Amino acid sequence: MTKVRVVLVMGSLNEESATSAMIQFVKARLEALEAQVDLIDLREAELPLFQPKIAKEVPAYRDMEPLVREADCFVLGSPDYHGMPSGAMKNFLDYFWREFSGKLFGYVCASDEKGLTPMDAMRVAIRQCYGWSLPYGVSGVEGSDVRPEGEVVSSTLTDRLTMLAHDLVNYGGVIRERRERDLDGDHPTFMANLRSRA
Ligand SMILES: Cc1cc2nc3c(=O)[nH]c(=O)nc-3n(C[C@H](O)[C@H](O)[C@H](O)COP(=O)(O)O)c2cc1C
């Protein structure tokens, strides 16, 4: 069976980032589950602010586009900025919204609280793009749960990030199969409007 393809998006521009530490942890777990994993680290991507008319000419967009198009699932990782995801993450979503229909998303948030509203905001954006979301997100507090230099230290967070990796691979495989069948078929499913692009 084809490996589930997962793209992790790291949405903090902090050099030492708790979000990055959690994303790296999930990445390692996904690799152990034999998913095909790619990382888009928005610190390195140099994605300028989205301008619709020139977006497809942007070099960073062109570099990322094949990965995003081929992905079955995504993990979106963001810091909590005033109860919202980072501007960098929102900018990424603005570029790639067309590629999200019928794909599965998991959410990770570095927050001093529980990161509920940033993860809900990402979930709303993904719902708006006809993507599926896991029914929970995982947040960690810098210092007590996760060290921004790169280490996840709390066992609760370790367990929840491990769960996220498993759920993403398992449900992602099921949703991928259904999505592909709907794209190939002729039933009036919500994927029907993407058939001409598949
Ligand atoms: C501009 C800004 C706004 C923030 N707003 C919140 C907030 O509303 N709630 C919260 O819990 N933490 C907030 N924080 C703290 C960050 O979410 C927290 O430090 C997080 O661990 C940063 O993640 P990073 O290390 O991956 O960048 C804010 C930090 C910054 C810089």
Side-chain angles (χ1 to χ4, degrees):
M1 190 172 156
T2 321
K3 289 180 174 184
V4 173
R5 291 161 300 192
V6 185
V7 167
L8 300 110
V9 184
M10 209 299 278
S12 170
L13 303 191
N14 254 338
E15 196 177 330
E16 291 195 333
S17 160
T19 307
S20 177
M22 289 194 282
I23 285 287
Q24 289 294 345
F25 186 96
V26 178
K27 181 170 179 283
R29 287 293 189 272
L30 288 166
E31 285 164 348
L33 294 166
E34 300 196 342
Q36 184 184 315
V37 183
D38 289 289
L39 172 66
I40 293 176
D41 187 331
L42 295 176
R43 291 176 298 197
E44 294 160 10
E46 296 188 17
L47 199 57
L49 278 180
F50 177 68
Q51 291 183 49
K53 287 195 176 141
I54 58 163
K56 290 188 177 166
E57 313 307 321
V58 169
Y61 167 85
R62 288 169 173 264
D63 291 346
M64 291 177 199
E65 193 274 335
L67 289 182
V68 173
R69 178 166 30 87
E70 294 297 322
D72 302 310
C73 314
F74 294 84
V75 181
L76 303 184
S78 177
D80 180 340
Y81 283 173
H82 310 301
M84 299 297 286
S86 65
M89 175 56 72
K90 177 62 170 57
N91 194 41
F92 170 84
L93 297 177
D94 291 342
Y95 271 90
F96 288 106
W97 62 274
R98 283 189 184 81
E99 302 300 336
F100 298 157
S101 299
K103 298 183 176 181
L104 180 64
F105 288 73
Y107 306 97
V108 167
C109 185
S111 173
D112 295 341
E113 298 159 70
K114 291 185 177 173
L116 294 177
T117 53
M119 291 193 283
D120 277 348
M122 291 190 277
R123 186 184 299 274
V124 166
I126 294 309
R127 185 203 65 201
Q128 199 72 10
C129 304
Y130 284 69
W132 300 101
S133 290
L134 287 178
Y136 62 87
V138 180
S139 68
V141 178
E142 186 182 320
S144 54
D145 289 330
V146 55
R147 305 253 188 268
E149 315 85 64
E151 201 188 350
V152 175
V153 287
S154 110
S155 63
T156 308
L157 182 57
T158 300
D159 289 349
R160 284 183 64 76
L161 292 171
T162 303
M163 175 174 76
L164 178 74
H166 276 265
D167 284 337
L168 207 71
V169 168
N170 291 335
Y171 290 101
V174 172
I175 288 173
R176 188 257 308 270
E177 192 191 334
R178 185 70 255 170
R179 182 178 190 273
E180 286 177 353
R181 276 208 258 165
D182 286 352
L183 284 171
D184 287 343
D186 57 4
H187 292 290
T189 68
F190 83 97
M191 294 306 298
N193 67 346
L194 287 189
R195 277 182 195 136
S196 58
R197 299 176 48 218

